[in-house]
Every structure is written in C-alpha cells, then in structure tokens.
C-alpha cells in the first residue's frame, strides 16, 4: 500500500480482555517495528521484525504481550488480559531493506482499557 | 542512564528566531541519528538523518553530530509557528537494527 496501515484506529476494552492490533506495512518493506506511546511520553520500543523473524523482543513489557508477522507482511500485536496501564497509542513503522534506517509510521492504534 | 536523552521543554522561541534542540546518547557504537517531528495527535515524521560528524543542512534545518561527545543537535532557522511540535531524537546502532527514541522536546514558536 501507499503507507503503513494500522487497525483499529481506536479500541476501548474492559480490563482483562484480550486485544489484537494489526499493522500492514508499506509493500516491499522488509522490516517492521512496534512502539508504544503513552500520553505525553516518548516512543517505547516493543519489538522489531526482519521478515517474519523477531531478532529483538526486548521491549515487550510482559508475557501478556506477543507479536507475530506472517508472509513478511502483516503483523499482529496481541495483548492478553489487558490492564489499565496498557492504555496508550501503539505505533507501527516499517522500512525497506538496506539504505538509511528511516522509519515510516502508521497513524497508530489508540487503546483505552477501562 | 537513559539510552537517548532530551530536554522535554517546552522550548519557546519567537517567530523568525533560531531554535536549538539537543540530544545525548549513551551507546558509543551508535552509527545513525535521526530527527523526527511529531505534531499533537499525529505520528512521527522524519525531518533528517545524519551519519558523520559535522553538520548536515536541509533547507531551514541543520543537524549537527559530535560522536566524541555523544551529542546530536537540530537547529531550525527562521522558526515559524508551524514548526511548533515535539521533536524526537532517534539513534540506531547500525548493524543492530533497533531504533531507540528519546522522549522528545516540545517546541513552541511564538508569533
């Protein structure tokens, strides 16, 4: 696609429910990143994919968080048993192979846990 | 120590002035340095990147890198109210692909 597409754009859920956030990167971009941005804060690195593998999962906050990528394209970030502190904007970014490590971001998925 | 540090601001400058934004990083192995701009409620967008020590200019923007001091800066000349945003510094260690962001500096350009 023309840009990085994320869905849903807005998700309100109850504490304890599971949520799935989807990212569709720019066509041909091999690397995909997930970040979390809490209100008024910077970008917190969660996980990075090169192709379908995740060389760096160091930022996932807990075992309630998981992510996968299939077909070297779409990625899903899953949060199980959501907590109020999971409320944030989840940003996905992608970049092509090689060249400068310049990230193109999607519009984000805003998650609110009640 | 945070990996990438920025003063959160806000930094207020009058219209037409030079805005100077600063960033320090802890990993001496870092190779690539980026400045992103984020308007309120929007996603970050790249302004420019720099690899080598010295200055890199792009229009009204100049990035400065000093690897010995582990310091990156962004100068915005002739600041405009439309430059009012949060500026995020990001660092990458090259072969290791993680890109780490600072918490950002909020810039306010006063008309």
């Amino acid at each position: 696609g023309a840009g990085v597409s994320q869905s849903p754009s807005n998700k309100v859920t109850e504490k304890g429910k599971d949520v799935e956030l989807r990212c569709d990167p720019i066509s041909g971009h091999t690397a995909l990143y997930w970040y979390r941005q809490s209100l008024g804060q910077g970008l917190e690195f969660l996980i990075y994919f090169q192709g379908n593998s995740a060389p760096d999962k160091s930022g996932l906050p807990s075992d309630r968080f998981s992510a996968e990528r299939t077909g070297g394209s779409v990625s899903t970030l899953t949060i199980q048993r959501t907590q109020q502190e999971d409320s944030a904007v989840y940003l996905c970014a992608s970049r092509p192979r090689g060249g400068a490590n310049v990230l193109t971001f999607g519009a984000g998925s805003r998650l609110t846990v009640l | 120590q945070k990996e990438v540090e920025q003063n959160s601001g806000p930094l207020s400058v009058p219209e037409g002035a030079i805005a100077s934004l600063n960033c320090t990083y802890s990993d001496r192995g870092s190779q690539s340095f980026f400045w992103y701009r984020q308007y309120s409620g929007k996603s970050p967008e790249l302004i420019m990147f720099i690899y080598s020590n010295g200055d890199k200019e792009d229009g009204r923007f100049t990035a400065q890198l000093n690897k010995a001091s582990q310091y990156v800066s962004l100068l915005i000349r002739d600041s405009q109210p439309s430059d009012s945003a949060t500026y995020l510094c990001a660092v990458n260690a090259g072969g290791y692909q993680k890109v780490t962001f600072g918490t950002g500096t909020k810039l306010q350009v006063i008309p």
Side-chain angles (χ1 to χ4, degrees), chain B residues 51-68:
Chain B
Y51 295 140
S52 305
N53 275 331
D55 295 0
K56 179 180 179 182
E57 186 174 319
D58 184 0
R60 296 187 296 115
F61 299 93
T62 299
Q64 300 176 317
L65 174 61
N66 183 325
K67 288 187 177 182

Side-chain angles (χ1 to χ4, degrees), chain A residues 19-35:
Chain A
V19 297
E20 283 190 353
L21 307 176
R22 175 190 167 105
C23 174
D24 197 346
I26 292 173
S27 178
H29 279 198
T30 56
L32 185 150
Y33 297 73
W34 283 100
Y35 290 88

Side-chain angles (χ1 to χ4, degrees), chain A residues 33 35 37 56 95 100 103 106, chain B residues 36 38 43 51 96-97 99:
Chain A
Y33 297 73
Y35 290 88
Q37 189 170 34
D56 192 336
R95 71 163 184 85
L103 304 181
Chain B
Y36 286 79
Q38 186 175 28
S43 295
Y51 295 140
Y96 180 59
Q97 301 295 324
V99 180

Side-chain angles (χ1 to χ4, degrees), chain A residues 1-24:
Chain A
V4 178
S5 178
Q6 291 189 246
S7 61
S9 57
N10 227 317
K11 175 73 175 179
V12 180
T13 190
E14 293 179 347
K15 178 181 173 181
K17 300 287 189 182
D18 297 351
V19 297
E20 283 190 353
L21 307 176
R22 175 190 167 105
C23 174
D24 197 346

